[in-house]
Amino acid sequence: MAPNLTQFSLAGKTALVTGCKRGIGKAMAEGLAEAGADIIGVSATLETTGSEVGHSIEKLGRKFSPYKCDFSDREQVKRFISLVRANEKPIDILVNNAGTIMRAPAAEHSDEYWDTVLEVNLTAQFLLSRAFGKDMIDRGQGKIIFTASLLSYQGGITVPGYAASKGGVMQLVMALSNEWASKGVNVNAIAPGYIATDNTEALRNDADRSESILGRIPQGRWGTPDDFKGPTVFLASSASDYMNGSTVLVDGGWMGR
């Protein structure tokens, strides 16, 4: 008997994906579109026409609505929320993926670095979740997916703001779930391991660090953005209706080592 995969279908759903221009966010948006969802995409530098991610989603026969927003600017985030509420269909799936990282030793980590990273990685994501989560509660259903990190579990080196923000993301996922699970809103996270994206280019170009990292990953390779399509669709679909407050590791086995 062929497996019944209808519970993974996102036909008729609308997903808002932040940080969708490239890397993991782009793959998440494409995976959701492949499962049937229309996509509202937003990034700080996303082209309003002719973007690569928009082209790939429209090629699938899905609708793509592009927006630009600087997530380090709280007022811009609030204006973006108002624009989406005024111009788009209700959000069924919110993917809080946009993030940034700034590297400097803790004793030299500036206020600007700290404030920018926390604003983008944690505060903006709370504002989006608060607004669209309320709408989901009013409708009695919705899915919210955060992008966490290995540094939700570990401290890292020279990235104190990033580690603090990603630890906060995992705690926020549980806090929101405690309030919203009974109201039909599933809140979960995906924690990427070492993935071949812009954020890890410096590590991959450092032969010693790259060898050390690969030596700990049981699967023996860097992850790719496409590795996140399946987990994202799962957490966005009815297949995950009994999952709340969970952080799913997609790390090639790193955290089990």
Side-chain angles (χ1 to χ4, degrees):
M1 177 183 290
N4 181 2
L5 299 179
T6 56
Q7 62 183 331
F8 293 96
S9 173
L10 301 177
K13 302 291 186 180
T14 298
L16 168 56
V17 183
T18 73
C20 72
K21 183 175 180 178
R22 58 183 179 269
I24 292 172
K26 179 173 178 285
M28 287 173 154
E30 290 170 344
L32 293 170
E34 287 167 2
D38 291 325
I39 307 297
I40 300 166
V42 57
S43 291
T45 59
L46 182 64
E47 304 88 346
T48 54
T49 59
S51 68
E52 183 179 343
V53 62
H55 175 73
S56 65
I57 286 166
E58 289 171 347
K59 192 174 179 181
L60 293 166
R62 308 267 59 86
K63 180 184 177 184
F64 181 73
S65 301
Y67 289 85
K68 290 175 69 171
C69 181
D70 178 357
F71 290 104
S72 69
D73 183 332
R74 197 171 301 191
E75 294 308 310
Q76 274 200 44
V77 175
K78 291 178 179 178
R79 288 195 295 271
F80 167 68
I81 290 169
S82 295
L83 277 173
V84 170
R85 279 175 157 168
N87 297 318
E88 304 293 343
K89 291 180 179 179
I91 305 302
D92 301 297
I93 303 154
L94 170 63
V95 181
N96 283 314
N97 170 73
T100 190
I101 189 167
M102 295 184 170
R103 301 178 187 274
E108 302 162 19
H109 208 77
S110 68
D111 290 357
E112 180 185 2
Y113 274 21
W114 178 270
D115 290 344
T116 297
V117 171
L118 268 290
E119 196 72 28
V120 173
N121 292 5
L122 190 57
T123 301
Q125 300 197 19
F126 172 68
L127 296 178
L128 292 166
S129 299
R130 182 178 64 188
F132 295 117
K134 182 181 185 303
D135 296 341
M136 292 175 181
I137 290 168
D138 290 343
R139 298 195 308 274
Q141 61 181 4
K143 302 279 186 172
I144 300 177
I145 304 165
F146 287 77
T147 298
S149 170
L150 292 182
L151 296 196
S152 299
Y153 303 89
Q154 303 172 321
I157 301 171
T158 71
V159 288
Y162 185 83
S165 70
K166 291 300 185 178
V169 162
M170 193 160 73
Q171 290 297 120
L172 181 58
V173 165
M174 291 187 284
L176 296 179
S177 290
N178 288 343
E179 296 189 37
W180 296 351
S182 64
K183 303 179 188 301
V185 180
N186 300 82
V187 186
N188 295 287
I190 296 171
Y194 285 93
I195 312 302
T197 65
D198 293 348
N199 275 354
T200 60
E201 185 175 5
L203 293 176
R204 287 181 286 117
N205 289 339
D206 183 326
D208 292 337
R209 285 296 305 279
S210 182
E211 182 180 1
S212 173
I213 288 166
L214 287 173
R216 177 173 164 167
I217 299 173
Q219 199 162 346
R221 68 169 176 87
W222 289 78
T224 70
D226 279 357
D227 289 320
F228 293 84
K229 288 184 175 182
T232 303
V233 169
F234 169 61
L235 290 178
S237 72
S238 62
S240 62
D241 278 353
Y242 198 58
M243 286 189 68
N244 299 278
S246 297
T247 297
V248 179
L249 283 158
V250 182
D251 66 347
W254 172 279
M255 285 298 296
R257 198 64 176 257

